[in-house]
Amino acid sequence: MAVQAPTGSDPALSASPWWQQDAQVCWHPYTQHGLDPQPLAVVGARGAWLELADGQRMLDAISSWWACLHGHGNHRLVAAAAAQAARLDHVLFAGCTHEPAVNLATDLVRVAAPMAGGGHSLQRVFYSDNGSTAVEVALKAAYQYWVRQGEPQRTRFIALDGGYHGDTFGAMAVGEPHPFFHEFAPFLFEVVRVPPSAEALQQALQANAGQVAALIVEPLVQGAAGMVMHPASFLQDARRLCDEHGALLIADEVLTGFGRTGSVFACEKAGICPDLMALAKGLTGGMLPLAVTMASEEIYQAFHSPQRERAFFHGHTFTANPIGCAIGHASLALLHEQQTPARLDRIGAWIEARLRARLGEASGVRRCGGIVAVEPSEDSAYLAAGGEELRQACRGLKRVLLRPLGNVLYAMPPACLEESEALLVADAMVEVLTQTATP
Ligand SMILES: Cc1ncc(COP(=O)(O)O)c(C=O)c1O
């Protein structure tokens, strides 16, 4: 059979600009194509700014889904990617290894070292390629750890109300069912859900004594729930209670990792160390898809055996892709040199101060590091009626890209922002809130 020419060379289609062809051939994530307008046509990006096909520039105030850490097109990351692509683009990571993967794993173990304490530390790095799979790996490793320990009855996971851990089946199961996942209920394993309170967690652990494999949390900030924040003391209680009940603690730092909360990791800020930790997004500074699940040596050793069937049978084609790993190594060097967590914290403080100055102290602005959120009403449900209005007002902005979570408006910009740019973001948030305010 003859191979069809790519559609780009179809004269009928290529008569229109490429961004108009989008509607014919693309299916976008978390998009209702029956409602949402044509997507922004982005042709370039530098620093905090996206360059659109019509010549307009927009400040990426949400770091392109919370990933872009230092700014777009960072020359150190671009150089690392180019040099690595020319040397070794990809090789399977089963039975092979390479320097970028070893370098990045060594970096990660080093940056996680300050969290060690209370008999816990993260010593091993398992690579995958997105946040959801990093969570899947953590869930599978946690359960199989217990199987290897002779406790296969530990089949239950505890998760936080409103949690979001990704869109694959295990990640959906531990995530809040509404509004995204409830239709998949017949396929999802049962999860015990608790609010972020020590009492509720203790009760859940007691009620399921000896049956809990792990508690999974988004530490300090529950992103998709609407940048919902809980105090560090909850994480300290969670660590203690998991230890007391013999359950593992999984930290999903896919969003919070790499400085977003003002510390390298949210768990570090809370002074605790999890048994498993999922990282993605900022791992490559937001440039390429790469993820890791870090694990304690004890968990790794539970799989280490002369018996092949005790191995961890999980892997993805692009596990530890060398280009991603080289970028990750360069990104961590930048994070260290530029004190990225402190920078993000400062940017968050600028935005918070401006919002408070313009909206008043009672406006309910909340902040954790470089993440600043405000909600115009009590109802923060993702599909809340007010959320639609907020979404539309954000789309009307000319210079700042904001994308609300339901009724929650938030900013999480990259670390390269100048103060004037941070104020621009805050002013855009005020503009949106003013437009949608009910008289
Ligand atoms: C806390 C958390 N975990 C997991 C994920 C899933 O990551 P990915 O979209 O890379 O699969 C996300 C994505 O936003 C997240 O915020």
Side-chain angles (χ1 to χ4, degrees), residues 66 130-132 164-166 218 252 254-255 281:
W66 321 338
N130 63 72
S132 308
Y164 176 80
H165 300 285
E218 289 166 88
D252 175 354
V254 168
L255 157 64
K281 293 188 186 283

Side-chain angles (χ1 to χ4, degrees), residues 65-66 129-135 163-168 171 217-219 221-224 252-256 278 280-281 290-291:
W65 259 351
W66 321 338
D129 45 26
N130 63 72
S132 308
T133 54
V135 168
Y164 176 80
H165 300 285
D167 292 348
T168 51
V217 295
E218 289 166 88
V221 184
Q222 293 185 266
D252 175 354
E253 294 235 18
V254 168
L255 157 64
T256 51
K281 293 188 186 283
L290 185 75

Side-chain angles (χ1 to χ4, degrees), residues 313-332:
F313 291 114
H314 187 109
H316 299 277
T317 309
F318 289 104
T319 293
N321 171 261
I323 305 171
C325 290
I327 299 171
H329 182 54
S331 176
L332 275 176

